[in-house]
Amino acid sequence: MKVLDRPLLFLDIDGPLIPFGESPGGEFPLQLSPDSAGQGNPLVDRIDPGLGPLLSALSCELVWATTWMHEANRLISPRLGLAALAVVEWSDESGDRVDEWFGLHWKTRALVEWAAGRPFIWIDDEISDRDREWVSANFGSRALLYQVDPRSGLRHSDFATLIDWLDATDS
């Protein structure tokens, strides 16, 4: 399969990679670690670096789909051991709001457009059934809209579902 034919994986940060619930040690999510105080965003310490190799091993092209935009490559990619990824750039009209038509998440239409017919996975904590319905009715290829619980974020156990979906897309 050519690189340009590989499925895309659109990845959000807040919620999926930076969970909002208790961390494994039971700390409050906004607690600064001694290593991160004064060094950018302290929430990056909540990222599980073990997710990086799991993401890299997937047979797809990883793309940042986050309001962090290019900051994701500066602060998040190194934490995960990832090379710089492509970034979906949101327009000034985008933001944390619901698409007024059909109650879609504001990212939904933009990601379908960005995919340009390539199969894709979208990992986010704000995906709804309306987004799934709209993508199913309006996108001509396979798509997996994978919602994670923002309290726990993306887990190692989630990768079995992602791998199964990608394997089915390859066949």
Side-chain angles (χ1 to χ4, degrees):
M1 177 178 290
K2 293 185 228 171
V3 172
L4 291 177
D5 294 335
R6 288 180 26 188
L8 300 164
L9 188 149
F10 294 116
L11 186 57
D12 186 31
I13 292 174
D14 295 316
L17 295 180
I18 298 176
F20 299 125
E22 280 191 2
S23 65
E27 301 96 29
F28 182 70
L30 299 177
Q31 182 174 343
L32 294 173
S33 76
D35 296 334
S36 66
Q39 296 182 11
N41 191 318
L43 295 178
V44 298
D45 286 344
R46 298 189 54 75
I47 295 173
D48 174 2
L51 293 173
L54 295 171
L55 287 164
S56 294
L58 295 173
S59 60
C60 60
E61 178 185 345
L62 303 175
V63 179
W64 291 122
T66 173
T67 56
W68 288 61
M69 294 200 298
H70 293 282
E71 283 295 294
N73 280 322
R74 189 174 75 77
L75 294 172
I76 308 303
S77 288
R79 177 84 176 164
L80 292 169
L82 300 174
L85 306 179
V87 175
V88 176
E89 295 193 24
W90 312 111
S91 69
D92 289 339
E93 291 83 43
S94 297
D96 292 327
R97 59 181 170 77
V98 172
D99 185 323
E100 292 177 16
W101 186 86
F102 198 58
L104 299 177
H105 189 283
W106 61 269
K107 294 180 184 177
T108 306
R109 291 173 188 253
L111 295 180
V112 165
E113 184 178 322
W114 210 95
R118 286 170 66 182
F120 71 87
I121 297 171
W122 172 23
I123 299 175
D124 205 305
D125 60 313
E126 297 179 341
I127 295 168
S128 72
D129 287 338
R130 287 190 175 183
D131 298 304
R132 287 184 189 89
E133 291 166 10
W134 190 88
V135 170
S136 178
N138 294 282
F139 186 59
S141 191
R142 295 188 74 227
L144 173 63
L145 280 61
Y146 195 79
Q147 183 181 20
V148 299
D149 184 334
R151 294 169 296 181
S152 58
L154 186 62
R155 296 177 180 229
H156 292 225
S157 58
D158 292 320
F159 282 81
T161 301
L162 304 177
I163 291 167
D164 287 347
W165 187 89
L166 288 164
D167 287 348
T169 300
D170 287 341
S171 32

